[in-house]
Amino acid sequence: MEQAGTALAGRIAERRAGVGDPRALVGEMRRSVLLVPLADGGLWSARSGGVRWVCAFTDEAALARFALLHAPGGRPVEYAELLGARIVDEVVPSLGEPAGLAVDIATEDGSMFFPPVVGIVPDGAAVDAGEGVRA
């Protein structure tokens, strides 16, 4: 049986290669259990381009690559296991600012960003909700 994180990593690789269905990628992200590092009493995130990105990883190897870059002194990184749907449906809207999900950011040529747009996050948290665009 294929693990959800592995399936998501495969869908990400397809999209980065210019193939695969974007809706299938979003669906796989929603079904996947992701590893989200904890920092300062919350989920680790970064701001870029006017968006707050909740950072998550498809497996422990991807999280370990991140930890090598961001954990002071090589300390272990504590993390939460969250369903992708919970991140984009509950966590992102609770942040009160444009926010999305960044997956596997420390993986060379393997990262994928799920921006705060209709079809990925709830309409109330989507930056394009007033434009009538559907993903």
Side-chain angles (χ1 to χ4, degrees), residues 6-134:
T6 303
L8 177 58
R11 293 273 186 197
I12 290 170
E14 288 175 356
R15 290 302 304 149
R16 293 188 61 77
V19 297
D21 179 3
R23 290 185 196 134
L25 173 63
V26 172
E28 197 64 55
M29 174 273 293
R30 295 181 62 76
R31 290 185 296 276
S32 295
V33 173
L34 298 170
L35 310 180
V36 184
L38 302 175
D40 301 323
L43 302 177
W44 198 89
S45 65
R47 285 184 176 82
S48 179
V51 176
R52 183 170 173 184
W53 298 99
V54 175
C55 299
F57 301 88
T58 54
D59 58 28
E60 288 183 345
L63 177 62
R65 285 188 290 274
F66 166 82
L68 284 173
L69 300 171
H70 297 284
R75 293 187 331 203
V77 173
E78 291 185 43
Y79 62 89
E81 295 181 0
L82 297 173
L83 196 59
R86 184 167 184 209
I87 297 169
V88 296
D89 292 347
E90 297 175 25
V91 174
V92 163
S94 75
L95 296 175
E97 63 183 299
L101 173 63
V103 177
D104 288 350
I105 59 169
T107 302
E108 187 175 323
D109 295 330
S111 61
M112 181 60 62
F113 293 83
F114 297 89
V117 296
V118 171
I120 295 178
V121 301
D123 290 357
V127 296
D128 65 342
E131 297 175 20
V133 176
R134 295 284 181 230

